[in-house]
Amino acid sequence: DMLWRPDVYIENQVGEILITAEGLYMYPDGLQFMSQKFIVDLSCAMVFDDFPFDSQDCHIELSTYTKSGNELWLRFWGGVSLELSPNLQHTEYFISLGSSNEDDIITRHFLNGTTPWRYTFHKFILQRKTEFFKKYIGASVMIAFVAYMGFWVDRRVAPARVAITLIPLLSLLTLFFGMAILLPRSE
């Protein structure tokens, strides 16, 4: 309780933060280094103009709740602003770090423009995996085409009409369940 800790928060968080580990290092010269490992859901404004070949530039926006920019300065330590787990995977996107540097610290003024509040932006990029669409959308279009070919099969050939109807249906179900396994669980 005797040690001051900054009240840093994430501006664009959605929901609660789960802190999985944290550490505080004190150096002989009085410098303090605080580190936290956490899981958080973030909001990100996405643009889908180039869908399905799009990439999304997202960020984590950090600030302090009670200290103004005159009292507390948030900055990157050693040029590293954000680290992603090497095991981080997503079914639809490749996730990589964007460039974050000292220029990504901005100052906003609130309270009639007199009090500065500093925000740091830690960028990351979501690059859509096009294999996802080649595999699932392409297969769905081909299955629909096979089902559509059933209209040209002679009515008197019932076994062929049944087969050309059931095969696309079973193929779509297999595709659906194969894709459902890849998706993350929802609560």
Side-chain angles (χ1 to χ4, degrees):
D1 287 341
M2 299 294 292
L3 184 65
W4 176 81
R5 294 178 64 178
D7 54 347
V8 176
Y9 73 99
I10 299 174
E11 179 75 22
N12 60 332
Q13 81 181 34
V14 179
E16 296 293 320
I17 295 178
L18 174 64
I19 298 175
T20 59
E22 61 183 337
L24 177 67
Y25 305 98
M26 297 183 69
Y27 296 96
D29 62 356
L31 181 68
Q32 299 173 9
F33 176 74
M34 188 177 83
S35 175
Q36 288 184 330
K37 183 178 179 182
F38 54 85
I39 299 170
V40 63
D41 292 329
L42 302 171
S43 65
C44 177
M46 295 186 165
V47 179
F48 298 104
D49 292 342
D50 297 328
F51 182 81
F53 305 106
D54 58 330
S55 71
Q56 308 296 333
D57 295 331
C58 297
H59 67 277
I60 297 176
E61 186 175 340
L62 297 176
S63 188
T64 179
Y65 188 70
T66 58
K67 302 293 181 185
S68 72
N70 296 329
E71 300 170 298
L72 179 66
W73 183 273
L74 295 173
R75 67 183 182 96
F76 306 123
W77 182 262
V80 176
S81 64
L82 183 66
E83 292 181 12
L84 296 177
S85 168
N87 300 327
L88 184 64
Q89 293 181 351
H90 194 274
T91 56
E92 198 171 346
Y93 291 101
F94 293 112
I95 303 172
S96 61
L97 293 177
S99 62
S100 294
N101 53 44
E102 293 294 332
D103 296 333
D104 295 325
I105 298 173
I106 67 162
T107 303
R108 294 184 184 152
H109 291 274
F110 295 105
L111 302 174
N112 297 329
T114 58
T115 306
W117 296 92
R118 290 195 171 83
Y119 292 81
T120 60
F121 290 87
H122 306 270
K123 298 177 187 174
F124 58 97
I125 299 166
L126 303 175
Q127 177 70 42
R128 191 177 304 276
K129 296 177 182 177
T130 56
E131 295 83 24
F132 179 82
F133 289 93
K134 290 176 186 173
K135 183 176 181 181
Y136 292 106
I137 303 300
S140 298
V141 169
M142 290 177 59
I143 291 168
F145 179 72
V146 169
Y148 187 69
M149 287 175 34
F151 290 114
W152 282 278
V153 175
D154 189 9
R155 286 187 202 182
R156 293 169 287 189
V157 188
R161 288 180 68 86
V162 169
I164 208 160
T165 303
L166 286 179
I167 289 172
L169 177 65
L170 294 174
S171 299
L172 281 174
L173 287 173
T174 302
L175 190 67
F176 171 75
F177 287 118
M179 186 171 40
I181 290 171
L182 297 174
L183 296 175
R185 292 180 152 239
S186 61
E187 295 180 13

